[in-house]
Amino acid sequence: MPKYSIFVNGKTKTVEVENGTPLLWVLRDNLNLIGTKFGCGIGICGSCTVLIDGKAEKSCSVSIESVEGKSITTIEGLAENRNNPLLKAWIEVEVSQCGYCQPGQILAAAALLNENPNPSDKEIEEAMNEVLCRCGTYNRIKKAIKKVVAEK
Ligand code: FES
Ligand code: FES
């Protein structure tokens, strides 16, 4: 099997996987980064969302070879900084219910704020619609994002 070098959470990792393997499987099965969740596997639910070069991407839908040389951040990388304002706001607002979708939600929120530091309610709704929450935590997600924006 071919070897690939990828840059995940600030470190270079080498993995040996089949060409075309989705990044999601590499993160979970090869690197044990199981904070990235498997939901639909076909690019619809967003639970597998990670940051690739600062943008939100569904890791089930990008192949290992397409991310070589790019910077990948998973929830484990974001959570290394316990003072991360998104994490703090998520805890203070008590966003999570079952929690399954929340790593993807937090990374989608991080990507939104990377691109747009002061999003409107509509822009927050549009960006966050990419990650489905079966527990219906959208109002608390919006509240947490607005808290981060207000406290900057
Ligand atoms: S598991 Fe990737 S979008 Fe659902
Ligand atoms: S918190 Fe349960 S799916 Fe979102």
Side-chain angles (χ1 to χ4, degrees):
M1 279 193 284
K3 283 188 181 164
Y4 296 95
S5 285
I6 56 174
F7 193 63
V8 184
N9 299 334
K11 296 191 182 86
T12 301
K13 303 280 181 185
T14 303
V15 292
E16 206 172 328
V17 293
E18 295 289 355
N19 184 28
T21 302
L23 175 63
L24 174 59
W25 304 140
V26 174
L27 294 174
R28 289 182 58 86
D29 295 347
N30 296 82
L31 302 178
N32 200 31
L33 294 169
I34 55 174
T36 305
K37 300 300 186 221
F38 168 43
C40 64
I42 52 171
I44 293 172
C45 73
S47 62
C48 66
T49 298
V50 298
L51 298 183
I52 299 178
D53 286 345
K55 293 191 186 321
E57 302 279 358
K58 291 165 180 157
S59 62
C60 68
S61 301
V62 293
S63 63
I64 182 69
E65 61 270 28
S66 71
V67 295
E68 271 201 303
K70 297 186 179 170
S71 178
I72 299 156
T73 304
T74 69
I75 194 66
E76 290 88 349
L78 186 133
E80 272 170 18
N81 172 11
R82 304 305 292 179
N83 288 323
N84 182 288
L86 277 170
L87 286 189
K88 284 170 71 177
W90 242 249
I91 292 165
E92 282 162 20
V93 173
E94 297 184 333
V95 172
S96 295
Q97 196 160 315
C98 81
Y100 197 84
C101 71
Q102 297 299 330
Q105 303 285 8
I106 292 170
L107 290 164
L112 168 66
L113 296 180
N114 282 346
E115 280 176 21
N116 181 355
N118 193 12
S120 65
D121 280 19
K122 191 164 180 292
E123 286 167 335
I124 293 174
E125 284 159 20
E126 278 171 8
M128 301 312 295
N129 275 347
E130 288 293 311
V131 187
L132 305 182
C133 177
R134 68 197 126 179
C135 300
T137 62
Y138 297 109
N139 285 340
R140 295 201 297 274
I141 288 169
K142 195 199 290 180
K143 195 171 164 192
I145 293 171
K146 290 175 79 158
K147 188 171 169 52
V148 172
V149 171
E151 289 175 359
K152 263 189 206 157

